[in-house]
Amino acid sequence: MLNNPFCRSLILLHLTSAWIQNPEPRMYNTYSKYQIDKFSGNDSYVDYFKLLEMDSDSILVGSRNVIYNITLSNLTENRLQRIVWPPTGAHRELCYLKGKSEEDCHNYIRVGAKVDEDKLLICGTNAYKPLCRHYKFIDGKNIVEKEMEGQGWCPYDPDHNSSAVYTDGHMYTATVADFGGVESIIYRDPLRTERSDLKQLNDANFVSSMSYQDYVLFFFREAAVEYINCGKVIYSRVGRVCKRDKGGPHQFGDRWTSFIKARLNCSIPGDYPFYFNEIQSTSKIVQGMYGANGPTKLIYGIFTTPSNSIGGSAVCAFSLDSIMNIFDGGAFKEQENMNSNWLKVPQSKVPHPRPGQCVNDSRTLPDVSVNFVKTHTLMDEAVSSYVQPLLVRVSLRNRFSAITVDPQVKTITGQPMDVLFIGTDDGRIMKAINRGGDNPKAIFTEEIHVGSAHLAIKSLTIVRPNGEPPKLLIVTHDFIHAIPLYRCSKVLSCRECVAIQDPYCAWDMQNNLCVAHALHPGPKKNFLQNIARGSHHACQPP
């Protein structure tokens, strides 16, 4: 019954009316395209912009046949550092012969990283024949130093969900390794996940990857193989590989010996929990004080209901300690044969050293250990969110699509709070505050509309250009925008300034203005702010 889309829709509507009402923002703001910094590539086609690399002054953005170098101060292009890389005529002709359209048969740049002070690694779809290049910056120009095959590094289709991270001298990619886009792969030359092994990866869509301690983490959604006897359902996952993995002995020389994964549980608790199963985006790792647990590292994620049900979106946070504890000490899951249920593996059957952990030299591992991790990739226990969903929204109009976090923003009393910026698939920005505490709930402070086009927001990033206030960088397939993190000056009264419950903003009693108090160093005794209640007795009645 729960797999029926109509039933799920009725349950979601019932839950919505029973335990939550859609939160309303304290403030609405709209920017026209003339009021903010904007970068657009070519107006005659879709660029498929993707943020590749960033420093304190500029960003590298991949697009159709071009890598742009864009200044952060005003989003203008450094034209002398533009890299133009179209596919060759032969590759385009081959692309047409494979049945692809003219729009498909271009080079969409999807992967990029600074691998040295003056060297870039760039990969593109190259008319459905992925290719990578090393560029070296010499005398003010980027010169091609090396070219190599890009299979496993870059997707074939620019719209495919892939991720890449460069760390400790290696590029780690999570993408597809075939023309049809069905063979999911996690790759670091020469290591890869198993081919056509649904227990390792099953039609995965990767949303992010990041370095953490001795490991690289991958966040993705995939068809749940442990549920396959009951139908098809998508689950969210976190996967992990060891940076020191050198492959296994004998025939396992090009295979990971440390890849394991666990389900991420973002759900409304209850006798019958309601799940937001499909991860769409994550923040970077943030560290802060959340309740009585001391310093904690969290990662925030966007989760949604399936596309064929009523649109539900949620924000969940996960502790990195919880993820690592399940990988390092949790039980594994197994299916003895095709018709068996998936059950917990008894501890007595787990070989030593424990699969998934870093070892001095993985090439010396016994075959039993390598075979075990190959067939027991999945952990038995799901990673529970740090608390129940911080923010839930049910909407027929949009779903959440991207998230970034400004961590531990201080109020006038010095209390730190995380500020969440959430993008939607129809071009809106939601701003919410995680106040922390032992049972945190996000405060929905603001909804922002940017420009006239209702384009899906693909990524959000907070940038801090040298000598300028921080900005929110908004990336869609067609445009890049930058807006301020706060709009305090648009509020004209003390009561309204306090009521928006924005930790950036406070009422200046001396000048009768709503201001960004961080720009006013020194004592805060002349400022009014109350994030918890949204009111202050010192504000004069209207």
Side-chain angles (χ1 to χ4, degrees):
M1 176 180 173
L2 292 181
N3 285 326
N4 186 302
F6 178 70
C7 293
R8 286 200 303 267
S9 301
L10 288 179
I11 292 170
L12 184 53
L13 288 172
H14 170 72
L15 287 169
T16 303
S17 61
W19 45 258
I20 194 167
Q21 294 297 323
N22 266 353
E24 290 296 324
R26 274 61 171 169
M27 179 168 62
Y28 289 90
N29 275 295
T30 300
Y31 287 100
S32 75
K33 60 183 179 180
Y34 305 107
Q35 292 177 304
I36 53 176
D37 295 332
K38 172 186 172 183
F39 178 82
S40 58
N42 192 304
D43 293 334
S44 61
Y45 52 75
V46 179
D47 284 286
Y48 288 95
F49 285 135
K50 185 163 187 177
L51 180 61
L52 305 177
E53 188 71 46
M54 178 174 64
D55 59 25
S56 59
D57 298 313
S58 61
I59 55 175
L60 282 183
V61 176
S63 70
R64 176 166 139 167
N65 303 327
V66 179
I67 301 106
Y68 296 103
N69 186 305
I70 302 169
T71 60
L72 288 175
S73 59
N74 56 10
L75 295 190
T76 57
E77 184 192 357
N78 300 312
R79 290 188 63 88
L80 293 178
Q81 295 189 34
R82 176 189 290 190
I83 298 174
V84 179
W85 181 16
T88 64
H91 283 158
R92 294 200 68 185
E93 287 298 323
L94 183 60
C95 182
Y96 296 143
L97 290 174
K98 292 175 181 177
K100 293 301 176 180
S101 68
E102 195 280 335
E103 184 178 348
D104 293 328
C105 298
H106 290 270
N107 189 19
Y108 295 92
I109 311 301
R110 301 287 89 191
V111 176
K114 195 172 184 179
V115 298
D116 208 342
E117 191 62 34
D118 57 354
K119 189 180 291 186
L120 295 171
L121 170 61
I122 302 293
C123 301
T125 61
N126 190 49
Y128 271 74
K129 187 175 174 58
L131 208 60
C132 293
R133 282 180 175 177
H134 281 287
Y135 283 89
K136 191 173 180 66
F137 193 68
I138 302 174
D139 297 331
K141 294 182 179 180
N142 286 293
I143 307 299
V144 179
E145 191 177 60
K146 181 183 177 183
E147 188 171 281
M148 54 197 174
E149 290 292 322
Q151 185 181 22
W153 298 81
C154 181
Y156 289 70
D157 185 336
D159 221 11
H160 192 274
N161 290 316
S162 300
S163 181
V165 59
Y166 185 82
T167 179
D168 292 18
H170 294 281
M171 178 70 85
Y172 295 78
T173 58
T175 183
V176 290
D178 67 322
F179 180 86
V182 295
E183 186 185 338
S184 306
I185 182 174
I186 291 175
Y187 182 70
R188 187 204 73 200
D189 188 30
L191 303 184
R192 56 162 296 155
T193 44
E194 288 287 341
R195 289 182 173 88
S196 305
D197 187 343
L198 303 186
K199 291 183 178 181
Q200 290 212 343
L201 293 171
N202 186 9
D203 193 20
N205 280 270
F206 299 95
V207 301
S208 67
S209 52
M210 59 199 69
S211 171
Y212 181 67
Q213 297 176 349
D214 292 331
Y215 303 95
V216 175
L217 301 178
F218 301 89
F219 292 84
F220 58 99
R221 60 186 187 270
E222 67 171 351
V225 68
E226 70 269 34
Y227 196 84
I228 202 165
N229 289 339
C230 304
K232 182 177 180 180
V233 68
I234 303 297
Y235 281 169
S236 298
R237 310 284 200 198
V238 54
R240 189 183 82 171
V241 296
C242 176
K243 294 178 183 176
R244 289 186 276 134
D245 198 331
K246 298 178 182 177
H250 316 307
Q251 74 269 28
F252 301 110
D254 62 345
R255 297 294 190 268
W256 294 107
T257 65
S258 59
F259 174 62
I260 50 178
K261 64 184 180 181
R263 182 184 176 187
L264 295 170
N265 178 0
C266 178
S267 63
I268 303 295
D271 292 337
Y272 298 94
F274 186 83
Y275 293 95
F276 297 87
N277 273 333
E278 301 192 12
I279 190 169
Q280 303 295 335
S281 173
T282 72
S283 70
K284 296 178 180 178
I285 297 170
V286 300
Q287 180 170 326
M289 303 296 293
Y290 308 94
N293 295 325
T296 302
K297 291 181 180 177
L298 296 181
I299 184 161
Y300 291 86
I302 293 295
F303 296 79
T304 65
T305 55
S307 58
N308 62 347
S309 69
I310 294 293
S313 304
V315 178
C316 281
F318 296 87
S319 160
L320 269 294
D321 286 342
S322 297
I323 293 173
M324 290 298 172
N325 287 341
I326 284 179
F327 283 144
D328 293 334
F332 292 88
K333 210 176 189 75
E334 72 173 355
Q335 185 187 36
E336 286 193 0
N337 58 62
M338 288 183 60
N339 298 316
S340 301
N341 291 327
W342 284 78
L343 300 172
K344 180 166 66 174
V345 178
Q347 189 63 34
S348 59
K349 289 181 61 177
V350 178
H352 182 80
R354 180 181 169 86
Q357 292 185 325
C358 291
V359 295
N360 289 332
D361 188 350
S362 59
R363 293 170 296 188
T364 64
L365 286 171
D367 286 352
V368 64
S369 293
V370 180
N371 277 314
F372 183 91
V373 79
K374 175 186 174 183
T375 56
H376 297 79
T377 306
L378 181 62
M379 309 307 297
D380 180 65
E381 187 179 353
V383 183
S384 297
S385 57
Y386 193 66
V387 291
Q388 67 179 18
L390 292 161
L391 186 66
V392 173
R393 189 172 179 86
V394 179
S395 173
L396 298 173
R397 297 178 302 174
N398 56 54
R399 283 181 167 86
F400 295 165
S401 61
I403 188 171
T404 191
V405 178
D406 194 7
Q408 303 295 277
V409 175
K410 291 186 178 180
T411 66
I412 61 173
T413 61
Q415 181 184 0
M417 299 180 178
D418 289 348
V419 182
L420 319 180
F421 295 90
I422 303 157
T424 70
D425 57 10
D426 67 346
R428 303 166 195 260
I429 307 291
M430 312 289 185
K431 182 177 175 183
I433 312 301
N434 179 8
R435 292 183 296 163
D438 293 320
N439 189 24
K441 269 290 186 183
I443 301 170
F444 186 13
T445 65
E446 189 178 6
E447 183 174 313
I448 308 161
H449 298 247
V450 179
S452 57
H454 301 291
L455 301 172
I457 293 172
K458 294 300 180 180
S459 70
L460 295 170
T461 309
I462 294 172
V463 297
R464 289 179 162 82
N466 286 330
E468 296 184 32
K471 299 177 181 179
L472 179 67
L473 195 69
I474 305 162
V475 179
T476 72
H477 276 335
D478 290 291
F479 302 106
I480 300 173
H481 293 100
I483 63 173
L485 299 187
Y486 42 76
R487 281 141 291 280
C488 309
S489 60
K490 291 194 173 188
V491 182
L492 303 178
S493 73
C494 176
R495 290 167 64 90
E496 292 174 338
C497 184
V498 175
I500 61 174
Q501 296 173 274
D502 190 330
Y504 295 115
C505 302
W507 184 257
D508 182 350
M509 293 189 292
Q510 282 189 327
N511 298 302
N512 286 327
L513 293 172
C514 192
V515 299
H517 65 86
L519 302 180
H520 299 262
K524 307 288 186 180
K525 62 182 181 180
N526 293 318
F527 292 93
L528 301 179
Q529 187 187 63
N530 191 316
I531 306 301
R533 294 201 312 268
S535 63
H536 201 289
H537 63 85
C539 288
Q540 297 298 318

